[in-house]
Amino acid sequence: MRQFYEECKQAVIKGDSDLAQRLATEAIDKKEPILDVIENGFVKGIEEVGRLWEDGAFFLPELVMGAEAIKKALSLLNPVLAEQQKRNFGKGKLVIGTVEGDIHDIGKTLVSTMLSANGFEVYDLGFDVGVDIFIEEASKRGVNCIATSALLTTTMQKQRKIVEALKERGIRKKFRVIVGGAPCSRRWADEIGADGYAKDAVAAVKLIGELIGGS
Ligand code: B1M
């Protein structure tokens, strides 16, 4: 199994979308545990791409190709993940999106998939979502939670803006606000007055279940 995860990781590092798709199909055909394949294989690959880019060994084209490869694999794996994880303990409704100025959506989509699979009613607003859009959509759809993803140290400031805007409009108490994404932390959530932080998709399901699952 370890060898198979390594092949998935290498496919992303090489930016080989065809290979990534073939390996994803193989994992599905062999009924592998899809969350493990994603986290121990493909995600390890994109993390390594990020490291190589930071070290100056990779340039933007390699970063983009790695992202394309993992996205191709996830487009096949996410629907199967949703089936494998299907449970029904969630009752809450939420909006989720990547904040304005930020187009990183791989992790957000994974979180969104896992939440849907666990019975939550999820409105995925996509990426580069403005503060007003988050609030308007949350109000319009009558959700209990606004879940925000940010991958850049610059764009994470928009998570603070969402909390502030809710306060300014006198509707802060209507929504639980959750933050996630690589630069975020529990400390960041506390600092900006959010209701919680989750480090990954599994933690997000648990946290949101605790906060709004019974509502
Ligand atoms: Co970008 N990028 N990128 N990038 N990129 C990072 C984030 C970076 C850390 C790379 C690095 O320096 N090592 C760096 C940010 C540095 C910083 O802010 N200090 C960076 C940069 C600088 C940039 C650009 C500025 C590069 C440039 O153009 N010069 C640019 C910005 C574009 C923009 O958004 N405006 C850019 C562009 C891109 C691509 C388009 C090429 C591509 C994104 C493609 C896409 O998403 N559609 C990309 C990628 C792929 C990365 C890295 C390599 C990988 C991100 C990823 O998908 N990880 C990333 C390095 C890294 O993070 N190690 C990097 C896999 C994913 C499953 O994990 O998203 O962390 P993640 O999600 C996890 C958890 O964080 C959590 O659960 C997920 C599943 O476990 N989680 C949540 C996420 N959201 C959550 C929400 C929750 C709860 C949990 O509740 C609401």
Side-chain angles (χ1 to χ4, degrees), residues 162-179:
I162 291 170
V163 177
E164 286 173 357
L166 288 169
K167 282 187 191 155
E168 278 161 20
R169 293 173 202 197
I171 51 173
R172 174 67 186 91
K173 292 213 171 87
K174 274 183 79 177
F175 307 103
R176 300 300 191 138
V177 180
I178 309 301
V179 297

Side-chain angles (χ1 to χ4, degrees), residues 46 50 101-107 147-149 151-153 181 198-200:
I46 198 70
D102 199 327
I103 62 170
H104 295 86
D105 68 345
I106 295 169
T148 68
S149 180
L151 264 286
L152 299 170
T153 43
K199 75 170 173 39
D200 58 26

Side-chain angles (χ1 to χ4, degrees), residues 39 43 46-47 49-51 53-54 60 63-64 67 70-71 96 101-108 110-111 147-154 178-182 198-201 204:
E39 288 189 337
V43 168
I46 198 70
E47 284 173 356
V49 169
R51 258 191 300 277
W53 187 71
E54 209 169 12
L60 201 53
L63 185 63
V64 173
I70 186 173
K71 286 196 84 162
I96 187 167
D102 199 327
I103 62 170
H104 295 86
D105 68 345
I106 295 169
K108 180 274 298 164
L110 206 52
V111 174
T148 68
S149 180
L151 264 286
L152 299 170
T153 43
T154 46
I178 309 301
V179 297
K199 75 170 173 39
D200 58 26

Side-chain angles (χ1 to χ4, degrees), residues 40-192:
N40 300 326
F42 293 108
V43 168
K44 293 282 180 253
I46 198 70
E47 284 173 356
E48 183 60 19
V49 169
R51 258 191 300 277
L52 289 164
W53 187 71
E54 209 169 12
D55 289 352
F58 270 14
F59 296 95
L60 201 53
E62 283 104 337
L63 185 63
V64 173
M65 283 171 71
E68 283 304 315
I70 186 173
K71 286 196 84 162
K72 283 272 163 54
L74 291 181
S75 69
L76 298 172
L77 294 173
N78 275 343
V80 185
L81 174 70
E83 274 308 308
Q84 283 190 357
Q85 299 285 320
K86 214 167 196 161
R87 266 177 233 117
N88 212 5
F89 70 78
K91 288 190 199 136
K93 293 200 248 180
L94 63 127
V95 291
I96 187 167
T98 303
V99 297
E100 189 174 355
D102 199 327
I103 62 170
H104 295 86
D105 68 345
I106 295 169
K108 180 274 298 164
T109 304
L110 206 52
V111 174
S112 171
T113 302
M114 286 285 285
L115 287 165
S116 299
N118 280 275
F120 293 92
E121 200 173 320
V122 180
Y123 298 96
D124 190 333
L125 307 178
F127 55 87
D128 192 16
V129 181
V131 172
D132 290 343
I133 303 287
F134 268 112
I135 297 175
E136 279 159 25
E137 289 291 326
S139 303
K140 192 167 85 192
R141 307 207 181 257
V143 305
N144 335 72
C145 175
I146 300 177
T148 68
S149 180
L151 264 286
L152 299 170
T153 43
T154 46
T155 58
M156 67 195 287
Q157 295 301 330
K158 297 287 178 186
Q159 295 175 321
R160 185 197 295 276
K161 292 261 182 249
I162 291 170
V163 177
E164 286 173 357
L166 288 169
K167 282 187 191 155
E168 278 161 20
R169 293 173 202 197
I171 51 173
R172 174 67 186 91
K173 292 213 171 87
K174 274 183 79 177
F175 307 103
R176 300 300 191 138
V177 180
I178 309 301
V179 297
C184 303
S185 61
R186 174 171 290 278
R187 197 164 154 197
W188 171 244
D190 291 344
E191 185 186 323
I192 65 171

